[in-house]
Amino acid sequence: MHSEIRLRQAQMNEKEIIWNILQQAIERRRQDGSTQWQQGYPNHGTVESDISKGFGYVMTVDNEIAVYAALILNDEPAYSTIEGAWLSNGEFVVVHRVAVDEKFAGRGIVKALFDHIEDFTRSHGIQSVKVDTNYDNTAMLKILESKGYSYCGEVFLAGGVRKAFEKIII
């Protein structure tokens, strides 16, 4: 049986479901021994802010929310200073706060998310996708490598140094 997978903007009435998924991800990072997301960010206010600004996106599997991500167009002040170099300086989509519901973990769902994000980027005529992650987030690092993202250097975000990646879409 084939599941229906969709990427769409999150709605304010879904913020509790999304916050729940983020809390699961925060706890998973802690159990993995990671420092990422362990200082009170992201939090409930982050989710509300994302949704109200139109940055919050959910990927649904048969209408059930499986993944949350913030997709931000051309705006990540931290990316203007990189130890290294981006592949491009055109328009870009920034991917932040990727979190998977435990029910959907281990099913390649984040790879599917990146496929959908790349389709979204292409359909909006945007040149590339930029993303950063913690040096100890091995799951995300493997996904980015498998999806053909290039390591561009390091960026500094609240909470520390992150590995920065980019993929040219058009």
Side-chain angles (χ1 to χ4, degrees):
M1 198 180 116
H2 199 68
S3 296
E4 189 202 2
I5 298 177
R6 281 183 57 219
L7 180 70
R8 63 165 174 78
Q9 278 191 314
Q11 306 302 312
M12 198 54 86
N13 64 358
E14 295 169 325
K15 69 181 179 189
E16 295 307 323
I17 300 166
I18 292 164
W19 173 233
N20 226 2
I21 293 171
L22 272 164
Q23 283 178 299
Q24 292 173 23
I26 289 165
E27 179 57 20
R28 268 199 306 277
R29 305 294 301 122
R30 190 186 67 76
Q31 287 175 358
D32 291 345
S34 175
T35 57
Q36 192 173 7
W37 291 3
Q38 301 305 307
Q39 288 89 28
Y41 162 89
N43 54 48
H44 208 267
T46 314
V47 175
E48 223 165 270
S49 170
D50 280 349
I51 296 171
S52 68
K53 291 176 180 165
F55 299 158
Y57 279 80
V58 290
M59 195 170 76
T60 58
V61 176
D62 296 328
N63 296 317
E64 189 178 356
I65 295 175
V67 187
Y68 175 74
L71 302 182
I72 305 166
L73 304 186
N74 299 318
D75 185 26
E76 176 46 81
Y79 285 8
S80 58
T81 317
I82 183 170
E83 290 285 320
W86 294 110
L87 303 178
S88 71
N89 49 20
E91 292 201 314
F92 58 93
V93 172
V94 180
V95 183
H96 277 324
R97 299 183 275 290
V98 174
V100 182
D101 189 310
E102 270 154 12
K103 276 187 293 209
F104 295 94
R107 291 206 219 162
I109 208 89
V110 178
K111 284 185 182 174
L113 172 72
F114 275 94
D115 290 339
H116 280 76
I117 290 169
E118 289 171 23
D119 290 344
F120 168 91
T121 303
R122 198 174 293 110
S123 71
H124 286 77
I126 296 168
Q127 187 177 14
S128 74
V129 177
K130 293 180 180 179
V131 59
D132 67 83
T133 193
N134 225 43
Y135 62 91
D136 62 5
N137 189 340
T138 46
M140 184 59 86
L141 291 168
K142 280 186 186 138
I143 288 165
L144 293 171
E145 187 182 346
S146 78
K147 299 303 298 170
Y149 283 72
S150 302
Y151 174 67
C152 294
E154 293 180 339
V155 291
F156 191 84
L157 277 87
V161 173
R162 301 271 188 269
K163 287 187 159 197
F165 295 85
E166 183 177 16
K167 182 173 181 177
I168 304 289
I169 305 298
I170 55 172

